[in-house]
Amino acid sequence: MTVTIFIVSLLAAMAIGMPIAYALLVCGVTLMAFLAATSGLVIFDSQILAQRFVEGADSFPLLAVPFFLLAGEFMNAGGLSRRIVNLAMAWVGHFRGGLGYVTVIAAVIMASLSGSAVADTAALAALLIPMMRAAGYNVGRASGLIASGGIIAPVIPPSIGLIIFGVAGNVSITKLFLAGIVPGLLMGLAIGLTWWWVAKKENVPAGRKFSLSERLRTTAQGAFALALPVVIIGGMKFGVFTPTEAAVVAAVYSFLVGMFIYRELKWSALYGLILSAGKTTAVVMFLVAAAMVSAWLITVANIPTEVAAMMAPFMDNRILLMFMMMVLIVLVGTALDFTPTVLILTPVLMPVVLKAGIDPVYFGVMFIMNNAIGLITPPVGTVLNVVCGVARISMEEAFKGVLPFLCAQLAVLFLLVLFPAIVLVPRSGGCDDPVFFNPVSNPKETSMFKRRTLTTALVAATLFASTSAFAQFADRTIKFTNGVNEDHPVGLGVKKMQEVLAAKTGGKMKINAFWGGSAGGDLPATQALRAGTQEMVCTSSSPLVGIVKELGAFDLPFLFANEREADAVLDGPAGVYFNKKLEEVGLVNLAYWENGFRNLTNSKRPVTKAEEFDGIKVRVMQNNIFLDTFRTLGTNAVPMPFGEVFTALETKTIDGQENPFVTIETSKLNEVQKFLSVTRHAYTPFLVLYSKKLWDQLNPQEQAVLREAAMEGQKVQRAANRVLNEKSLANLKTKGMVVNEVSPAEQRRMFEKVKPVYDRNVPTIGAEAVTIVLDALKKARGS
Ligand code: TK8
């Protein structure tokens, strides 16, 4: 049903001629209205629209887009593209249909310099079509070849398409880039072979042969252009820079070469080039921002679940499922342009992909390749339009010309559906990284017993419901977001809550849980609770210090010595005090769960004593006390939302982070971190929060059941967390982390070093809150 609303509203807006970005906003608003009318969510709010819109564009990875576009402009205006064509000509121009091979080679090289199919095609067409026409080539055929060469750009890195997919789907852009290389080369190979066959059949003329000295000269001239892809891909592969930094390097490099080495870039042209890159960026970013609004509502409205249900018959056969999704993408891709297709389909399909256990990197590359092919199919076929414009031929002629190449590229796509391993060959893990994996459905701890209680509860519930014993409960689906993954003990706590709700409300109140930050980070989610647009979140207290300054008391370093002390404080009057503070800002805290004692991980060195923190670039949670603590310890601390940590570590934007063992393991941070130092520098509780606005709409029975469920969940969650804490430490060692203990004496020295943090921050936290916590702590210690 919701799927229909989504599709109809989008199509209707487009049908009346609305630009796609606005159509996406209309679609978002329609979904909002629908949800507000049917689910009781207080979601119809212009503020949310504005907030999501701005947040959508506010992204570090997307900053790569303007720089790669600028690099493309400099490359064409600075003579890099022309030298690449000259170089290819000197080596392969003398074969039959030589200019065709020149096209293919130049297209592949240019694809590794720029990320945009349209820009590459325009440059190739402008350079090659006049030459091909003069040499007596069939212009339709030549244009077709150029178009099919141009669409290699989004597959071979850098690629604007892969960046947008990575951002929309939360997939590593570096991995996507590396995985795009082989498929892109195969696309080139496919059209090269097809051209060989076409040239023979149509008897296309050969060009002149170049002498060895000419060949060496053009190669030397082209060398500066050829060096760039090596720098970019090597730099990302070895973690020297992030894709965004690579984009800046590419722009600066092509500027310097065009300006000072080839001397073709004119100062006077600069403004125009920057303006042109700026305009294209604006189009892309506006689209991205609008799409993030609808993407968010797509998730909230549970459309991916509906789509997954439709795809259910294919779920077990992953190749068939890939095939079905590829067909869907072709269909959508022929009707829509490149970027909108990525932005609309990614949030819809990614959950299906993950659920079926398909590697998101593989899927991403296939998605983008498929979409790129859509650029040379009518009716939209943007790239085909570009060659038509340059060659001044009709769309029919161009399509006839491109047909054999189109078939060849579709064949490559099909081949990669059948043999997915080819795509992932250059990945760091080598060939043994599985493309298909077993998705984690139930954490192992879901024992048979628990499942049986659940079933019994459900059966009992249905029986009771028919006698209307649950009349006091309304049908409610509660959205509950989490930054941790489902296999974290929080997953067991939530499961327990679901069981209690099922039993006590006859299945009327349900929790719909989201994991791994897939439906938004902790801080935005908490704000959504305050606004009344989402019911629940489980978050560390730390990112909330900007909202409730008193919570900062828990961030004071080395406050608690063990879990017993933490429980005593949180479950006593101090806990009640903080609950009151939270209510004042629109948040009902149902229970304190456990995140646990936090420890430092980093990629530089083991930290065994206070001095060894020096200079490490550490991510901390978004609050001043952690920032102050880690700066005082000597690190170069940067605040960052948890959702960005993995990628930032992977791309070496930061060296380290700090979290409890369980979170380190379940969020797989060990894959991107080498050293784990058992610092136990802070204990942060998890808050299980409910929106006060929505809480006030519940009746007392509903509120009581929720509180009870959260407290039952607390028992399960805390117990599991403590068991898993030790296990996780052992697992992290087996998985290759180098673990070091910190001696009590050294811990003491660390504490001495950060003591000034207390003095500096107590005034901002408020003496009252700190005193309450310290008093409770004294009582717990029996002193
Ligand atoms: C989980 C977070 C997180 C926290 C952090 O949603 O940000 O480092 O410890 O694990 O609350």
Side-chain angles (χ1 to χ4, degrees), residues 482-484 522 538-540 543 595 598 619 621 642 657-660 663 684 686:
N482 293 278
V484 292
D522 291 336
C538 171
T539 171
S540 281
N595 193 350
R598 307 180 72 91
R619 171 268 174 175
M621 292 185 281
F642 185 63
Q657 64 86 44
E658 45 80 54
N659 252 306
T663 303
T684 46
F686 270 140

Side-chain angles (χ1 to χ4, degrees), residues 169-237:
N170 206 2
V171 180
S172 156
I173 294 168
T174 305
K175 280 188 185 162
L176 286 167
F177 273 14
L178 295 177
I181 299 174
V182 173
L185 291 176
L186 286 177
M187 285 171 85
L189 189 67
I191 57 170
L193 287 174
T194 314
W195 175 252
W196 172 76
W197 173 74
V198 167
K200 215 159 84 178
K201 219 182 71 182
E202 297 180 357
N203 202 12
V204 182
R208 75 171 175 97
K209 194 165 172 132
F210 284 65
S211 70
L212 185 65
S213 69
E214 278 173 306
R215 283 182 177 173
L216 293 179
R217 192 169 45 79
T218 51
T219 309
Q221 281 177 345
F224 281 103
L226 288 179
L228 186 55
V230 179
V231 173
I232 290 182
I233 293 170
M236 285 190 305
K237 165 107 191 151

Side-chain angles (χ1 to χ4, degrees), residues 677-736:
S677 309
V678 186
T679 45
R680 292 172 64 90
H681 53 269
Y683 173 100
T684 46
F686 270 140
L687 308 175
V688 180
L689 298 174
Y690 206 99
S691 157
K692 173 99 168 55
K693 258 195 190 172
L694 301 177
W695 181 258
D696 291 341
Q697 295 171 9
L698 303 175
N699 65 38
Q701 289 94 335
E702 291 172 322
Q703 294 180 345
V705 170
L706 273 168
R707 281 204 193 275
E708 183 186 338
M711 290 311 286
E712 289 287 308
Q714 180 195 60
K715 281 188 224 148
V716 174
Q717 195 272 340
R718 279 185 181 169
N721 206 54
R722 282 159 202 185
V723 173
L724 207 60
N725 197 41
E726 290 311 305
K727 246 207 271 176
S728 278
L729 178 59
N731 291 344
L732 291 171
K733 279 185 194 158
T734 346
K735 288 178 183 166

Side-chain angles (χ1 to χ4, degrees), residues 38-250:
T38 56
S39 73
L41 281 178
V42 192
I43 203 173
F44 198 75
D45 184 344
S46 57
Q47 226 184 339
I48 305 181
L49 271 184
Q51 216 175 32
R52 289 281 152 187
F53 188 81
V54 173
E55 260 171 39
D58 179 13
S59 142
F60 180 71
L62 282 178
L63 204 55
V65 173
F67 289 104
F68 276 132
L69 287 171
L70 199 57
E73 298 281 348
F74 288 154
M75 199 173 88
N76 292 337
L80 278 78
S81 309
R82 197 163 50 75
R83 280 177 184 75
I84 292 169
V85 169
N86 287 345
L87 187 157
M89 185 109 79
W91 289 96
V92 299
H94 61 287
F95 292 117
R96 187 211 310 272
L99 285 170
Y101 300 115
V102 171
T103 306
V104 177
I105 293 174
V108 169
I109 298 176
M110 282 168 65
S112 62
L113 292 168
S114 112
S116 147
V118 171
D120 275 21
T121 311
L124 281 170
L127 288 166
L128 283 160
I129 286 182
M131 289 192 219
M132 291 166 118
R133 184 175 268 140
Y137 282 44
N138 171 337
V139 177
R141 184 69 77 218
S143 305
L145 179 65
I146 290 173
S148 65
I151 61 162
I152 300 175
V155 181
I156 291 187
S159 153
I160 311 264
L162 288 173
I163 294 172
I164 292 173
F165 172 81
V167 170
N170 206 2
V171 180
S172 156
I173 294 168
T174 305
K175 280 188 185 162
L176 286 167
F177 273 14
L178 295 177
I181 299 174
V182 173
L185 291 176
L186 286 177
M187 285 171 85
L189 189 67
I191 57 170
L193 287 174
T194 314
W195 175 252
W196 172 76
W197 173 74
V198 167
K200 215 159 84 178
K201 219 182 71 182
E202 297 180 357
N203 202 12
V204 182
R208 75 171 175 97
K209 194 165 172 132
F210 284 65
S211 70
L212 185 65
S213 69
E214 278 173 306
R215 283 182 177 173
L216 293 179
R217 192 169 45 79
T218 51
T219 309
Q221 281 177 345
F224 281 103
L226 288 179
L228 186 55
V230 179
V231 173
I232 290 182
I233 293 170
M236 285 190 305
K237 165 107 191 151
F238 296 109
V240 182
F241 34 67
T242 63
T244 305
E245 288 158 350
V248 177
V249 170

Side-chain angles (χ1 to χ4, degrees), residues 443-772:
K444 295 161 231 58
E445 284 77 2
T446 320
S447 65
M448 208 45 216
F449 171 72
K450 275 191 192 137
R451 229 171 285 158
R452 208 171 306 142
T453 23
L454 182 60
T455 333
T456 327
L458 279 174
V459 171
T462 355
L463 277 178
F464 272 116
S466 53
T467 62
S468 84
F470 298 108
Q472 68 269 44
F473 299 107
D475 274 313
R476 295 184 192 276
T477 304
I478 295 163
K479 185 181 174 196
F480 188 166
T481 64
N482 293 278
V484 292
N485 286 326
E486 190 171 2
D487 51 354
H488 191 286
V490 169
L492 297 173
V494 170
K495 196 155 271 157
K496 182 72 196 174
M497 286 191 76
Q498 288 168 326
E499 287 170 20
V500 172
L501 288 181
K504 301 257 160 149
T505 71
K508 284 190 163 170
M509 292 174 77
K510 292 194 214 58
I511 289 178
N512 189 11
F514 296 83
W515 301 99
S518 61
D522 291 336
L523 194 52
T526 306
Q527 298 293 22
L529 260 59
R530 297 179 67 200
T533 55
Q534 173 183 322
E535 289 88 353
M536 289 187 77
V537 62
C538 171
T539 171
S540 281
S541 57
S542 313
L544 275 43
V545 171
I547 306 172
V548 179
K549 61 183 180 15
E550 288 83 359
L551 286 174
F554 295 118
D555 296 324
L556 291 169
F558 301 102
L559 182 68
F560 295 122
N562 53 47
E563 285 89 355
R564 201 188 48 76
E565 289 182 8
D567 287 357
V569 172
L570 294 167
D571 299 343
V576 178
Y577 169 82
F578 289 104
N579 287 346
K580 263 218 323 277
K581 292 287 164 198
L582 284 159
E583 273 212 54
E584 285 166 15
V585 296
L587 299 163
V588 177
N589 183 29
L590 298 182
Y592 292 97
W593 289 6
E594 178 169 276
N595 193 350
F597 280 97
R598 307 180 72 91
N599 300 289
L600 179 77
T601 67
N602 80 97
S603 55
K604 293 274 178 211
R605 63 182 97 99
V607 174
T608 57
K609 50 176 186 281
E611 291 71 24
E612 285 163 349
F613 283 102
D614 220 45
I616 300 176
K617 201 166 175 194
V618 177
R619 171 268 174 175
V620 291
M621 292 185 281
Q622 304 117 292
N623 81 60
N624 287 334
I625 302 163
F626 263 90
L627 196 61
D628 192 5
T629 303
F630 276 85
R631 295 234 159 120
T632 308
L633 284 168
T635 68
N636 178 358
V638 274
M640 185 185 286
F642 185 63
E644 292 173 17
V645 172
F646 186 94
T647 310
L649 289 171
E650 186 190 28
T651 55
K652 307 243 167 44
T653 310
I654 49 174
D655 306 320
Q657 64 86 44
E658 45 80 54
N659 252 306
F661 301 141
V662 181
T663 303
I664 296 171
E665 189 193 4
T666 54
S667 292
K668 302 196 168 53
L669 300 182
N670 57 292
E671 289 178 6
V672 287
Q673 292 279 267
K674 185 157 169 82
F675 302 106
L676 167 57
S677 309
V678 186
T679 45
R680 292 172 64 90
H681 53 269
Y683 173 100
T684 46
F686 270 140
L687 308 175
V688 180
L689 298 174
Y690 206 99
S691 157
K692 173 99 168 55
K693 258 195 190 172
L694 301 177
W695 181 258
D696 291 341
Q697 295 171 9
L698 303 175
N699 65 38
Q701 289 94 335
E702 291 172 322
Q703 294 180 345
V705 170
L706 273 168
R707 281 204 193 275
E708 183 186 338
M711 290 311 286
E712 289 287 308
Q714 180 195 60
K715 281 188 224 148
V716 174
Q717 195 272 340
R718 279 185 181 169
N721 206 54
R722 282 159 202 185
V723 173
L724 207 60
N725 197 41
E726 290 311 305
K727 246 207 271 176
S728 278
L729 178 59
N731 291 344
L732 291 171
K733 279 185 194 158
T734 346
K735 288 178 183 166
M737 284 198 97
V738 178
V739 178
N740 72 276
E741 299 286 333
V742 178
S743 71
E746 280 305 329
Q747 219 168 14
R748 188 84 222 153
R749 286 190 57 228
M750 290 178 187
F751 179 54
E752 292 301 327
K753 199 165 170 184
V754 295
K755 256 194 176 153
V757 173
Y758 277 69
D759 304 329
R760 279 197 292 265
N761 291 284
V762 168
T764 54
I765 299 167
E768 185 188 43
V770 178
T771 314
I772 287 176

